[in-house]
Amino acid sequence: MEQSEAAFDSAPGRSVRQLDFTAARGGTAHLKLSQWPSQSIMQPPCQSPPTQVKPPWLYRQIASQSQVMPQSQAAQPQQLVSPVRLTPHPVQKLPVKMLQVSKQESPESRPRQNVGLKESTPKKQKQCNCKNSRCLKLYCECFACGIYCDGCNCVNCHNDVDNEAARQEAVGIILERNPNAFKPKIASSPQGSRESKEDVSEIQVVGKHNKGCHCKKSGCLKKYCECFQNNILCSENCKCMDCKNLELSDQHRAVFNEEQNLVCTKQAANAAISGAVGSSGYGTQTVAKKRKAQKILSGNSATDQTVNQTGHYQQEIDPIASSPSPLLSSFVSDTANTRISGSLRSTYRSLLADVLQPENVKNLCSLLVVLSGVAVTTNAVTRGKVDRQIQTGKFDASLQSLQNTRDVQKPVCDDHMNKDEAVGTDIGNYNRSLSPETLALMCDEQDEMLLSNSLENRVASNINCQNMIQKLSNSDGRTDVYGEQERLVLTKFRDVLHELITLGNVKETMFTSLAKKEPAEYVTNGAETAIRMEKEIQSNCIANCIIPESIETSQTNYALTNDHVNTDLSLKVACTLK
DNA sequence: GAGTTTGAAACT
DNA sequence: CAGTTTCAAACTC
């Protein structure tokens, strides 16, 4: 009620008097029917209000609507509107099929902007059939919706004007027991009820039942379930058993089942390796599962995929796998994915897991640093020779080389050391230390990363890249050194990546062939089989001389001569990642 | 349309 | 809060 009041109070220009709800609590509320608003933005407990009036505390008026509403319309029976109409109505985003009027949804309850879609033949309003409650308990749909019974099939009905006193007393008792009794059950944007079972595929995922359902036998897939009835998925609020109103539609499940067969080989293998395949996690109380479903439906990407016995795929974010540095994370052994959860959960595990260790990455970085230094030295020597040829040739080659090295490295060092500069200029300095070729490559990568971004951003990015390249093209000859550095580093890095790809392909091929041999075993003895297969693959890798091997580098390589460096690098390259 | 099933509401 | 009863809608035949 507090929320309702707040929502209403926020609506500007309300012109209709509200019921003093505190009076209703005391059982002495006075309903002034003539003053009730003709439009409401509050969602009643039900979605299918018949005509007639409803308790004023359920009515909230949209000022703009009341102002523009013709008199004839304003005089019509009360209308119930979803609370989400405070904001743009979500129904506008739903498929047309969702806009069809269910037998529980009164034509008036639909948004006015959709009037023209499917309303040529308004359906009959819901009528209660109460016999023993006198329509003065929440069993009665009309009463629960806050409206008088009108044309219902109820017996001994007291939910009418003639029994207003009794009605108000009943309201007071109910509110005393549960102040939220007449509040909307659905937290947000429920849009009508399901027309039929055929509409299962049209599950509306927005909204949540405030109390949650307690279904036991219906699987929450029948209209007995209030969540299902309101086109929402069960949530953590629910205490239902064997809930099936958790995930995407049956169509999705069918699709996922098909995909399961197709990708079974690869993903089951990876999942089995992680040891995550166990007994069925399809229990009865599935709060965790519901939370997963909520994640899915909220649009989160995922790196993990789960297959349970019913063939439902579920995805869960692995914060490590979704790290912002995919390249680095792909290098590191995926220990996070080797977690074994209690539930049935198969996690994706990189084929390179246990092959690439952090020290490999470390060593690779060291190698690249060495390469960078070698490039500087090589370039310095070359430039020294050229200078000597051009000039008098009296300079000591080693001194010249050293000087050139300083010159070359200075801007890079400056860029890193000058922390007083603003972030924006840091980026600019960093870019200035790169060659135009590298910048062009970076721009290409940026474009790819921005594919999902707006066109505007991409255009701006391209302009920036072009500007940077243009500036660098006009700069001094130091770009030659940078270029050489980058050529060496990138070439080496490319080679390493190729090695990794090859290694991954080999492992994949092996897993595929093994998984095809014993697919059943993957499911039954998942973890154990996976470990055994992993060992088998590793032995095969060893047999094929594809052994991940750490490289050893040291800064002493800087002191090597060109010939020595080349020789040393050749060795390093050879043993980086065979 | 009658009977059954189901789950929310009401009650203890 | 949990268990039981009441109730009416949903469902089946």
Side-chain angles (χ1 to χ4, degrees), chain A residues 110-122:
Chain A
R110 280 172 288 141
R112 303 179 68 188
Q113 58 266 44
N114 293 321
V115 161
L117 290 176
K118 291 267 182 178
E119 72 142 18
S120 56
T121 56

Side-chain angles (χ1 to χ4, degrees), chain A residues 98-214:
Chain A
M98 291 290 291
L99 300 178
Q100 291 177 347
V101 182
S102 78
K103 65 181 179 181
Q104 286 192 331
E105 185 180 22
S106 70
E108 290 86 358
S109 68
R110 280 172 288 141
R112 303 179 68 188
Q113 58 266 44
N114 293 321
V115 161
L117 290 176
K118 291 267 182 178
E119 72 142 18
S120 56
T121 56
K123 293 191 176 181
K124 186 183 178 182
Q125 292 161 354
K126 189 73 178 180
Q127 296 171 331
C128 73
N129 301 285
C130 304
K131 295 175 183 176
N132 302 318
S133 66
R134 296 184 301 162
C135 296
L136 291 181
K137 292 189 176 181
L138 292 175
Y139 296 129
C140 176
E141 288 189 354
C142 303
F143 180 79
C145 291
I147 57 177
Y148 288 143
C149 288
D150 179 29
C152 300
N153 302 316
C154 44
V155 177
N156 193 22
C157 179
H158 283 54
N159 183 29
D160 53 22
V161 180
D162 296 336
N163 295 278
E164 186 58 38
R167 188 176 187 272
Q168 291 309 312
E169 185 178 3
V171 168
I173 293 172
I174 292 171
L175 287 173
E176 191 173 2
R177 184 169 53 228
N178 177 20
N180 299 324
F182 292 96
K183 280 187 180 178
K185 290 183 179 178
I186 309 304
S188 66
S189 69
Q191 279 309 306
S193 306
R194 295 163 198 266
E195 182 74 15
S196 64
K197 289 179 181 177
E198 288 74 24
D199 284 344
V200 167
S201 62
E202 300 285 353
I203 292 175
Q204 182 181 351
V205 298
V206 181
K208 185 163 72 175
H209 199 293
N210 288 327
K211 290 179 63 180
C213 68
H214 300 79

Side-chain angles (χ1 to χ4, degrees), chain A residues 42-288:
Chain A
M42 275 302 299
Q43 172 77 19
C46 64
Q47 280 71 48
S48 56
T51 57
Q52 292 292 343
V53 296
K54 64 194 295 291
W57 59 86
L58 295 179
Y59 289 94
R60 299 295 181 265
Q61 182 176 17
I62 298 176
S64 59
Q65 287 181 337
S66 65
Q67 290 166 359
V68 300
M69 184 178 298
Q71 189 65 29
S72 58
Q73 264 189 305
Q76 288 176 355
Q78 305 302 322
Q79 299 179 12
L80 301 177
V81 191
S82 169
V84 296
R85 294 180 198 186
L86 284 167
T87 56
H89 205 292
V91 78
Q92 298 173 62
K93 299 176 183 177
L94 297 175
V96 174
K97 189 177 179 181
M98 291 290 291
L99 300 178
Q100 291 177 347
V101 182
S102 78
K103 65 181 179 181
Q104 286 192 331
E105 185 180 22
S106 70
E108 290 86 358
S109 68
R110 280 172 288 141
R112 303 179 68 188
Q113 58 266 44
N114 293 321
V115 161
L117 290 176
K118 291 267 182 178
E119 72 142 18
S120 56
T121 56
K123 293 191 176 181
K124 186 183 178 182
Q125 292 161 354
K126 189 73 178 180
Q127 296 171 331
C128 73
N129 301 285
C130 304
K131 295 175 183 176
N132 302 318
S133 66
R134 296 184 301 162
C135 296
L136 291 181
K137 292 189 176 181
L138 292 175
Y139 296 129
C140 176
E141 288 189 354
C142 303
F143 180 79
C145 291
I147 57 177
Y148 288 143
C149 288
D150 179 29
C152 300
N153 302 316
C154 44
V155 177
N156 193 22
C157 179
H158 283 54
N159 183 29
D160 53 22
V161 180
D162 296 336
N163 295 278
E164 186 58 38
R167 188 176 187 272
Q168 291 309 312
E169 185 178 3
V171 168
I173 293 172
I174 292 171
L175 287 173
E176 191 173 2
R177 184 169 53 228
N178 177 20
N180 299 324
F182 292 96
K183 280 187 180 178
K185 290 183 179 178
I186 309 304
S188 66
S189 69
Q191 279 309 306
S193 306
R194 295 163 198 266
E195 182 74 15
S196 64
K197 289 179 181 177
E198 288 74 24
D199 284 344
V200 167
S201 62
E202 300 285 353
I203 292 175
Q204 182 181 351
V205 298
V206 181
K208 185 163 72 175
H209 199 293
N210 288 327
K211 290 179 63 180
C213 68
H214 300 79
C215 306
K216 295 177 181 176
K217 298 181 179 179
S218 66
C220 298
L221 289 180
K222 292 187 176 182
K223 293 180 79 174
Y224 298 125
C225 174
E226 291 193 348
C227 298
F228 182 87
Q229 196 172 72
N230 289 287
N231 280 327
I232 60 174
L233 295 172
C234 289
S235 67
E236 63 270 17
N237 294 342
C238 299
K239 296 177 181 175
C240 43
M241 298 174 67
D242 199 18
C243 180
K244 295 180 176 63
N245 185 28
L246 293 172
E247 300 156 9
L248 302 178
S249 69
D250 289 336
Q251 291 176 342
H252 286 94
R253 293 172 191 160
V255 170
F256 281 135
N257 280 330
E258 289 182 7
E259 290 180 353
Q260 176 190 1
N261 294 332
L262 292 174
V263 303
C264 177
T265 302
K266 287 184 181 179
Q267 296 195 345
N270 286 329
I273 291 172
S274 68
V277 175
S279 59
S280 170
Y282 196 69
T284 54
Q285 297 290 342
T286 53
V287 171

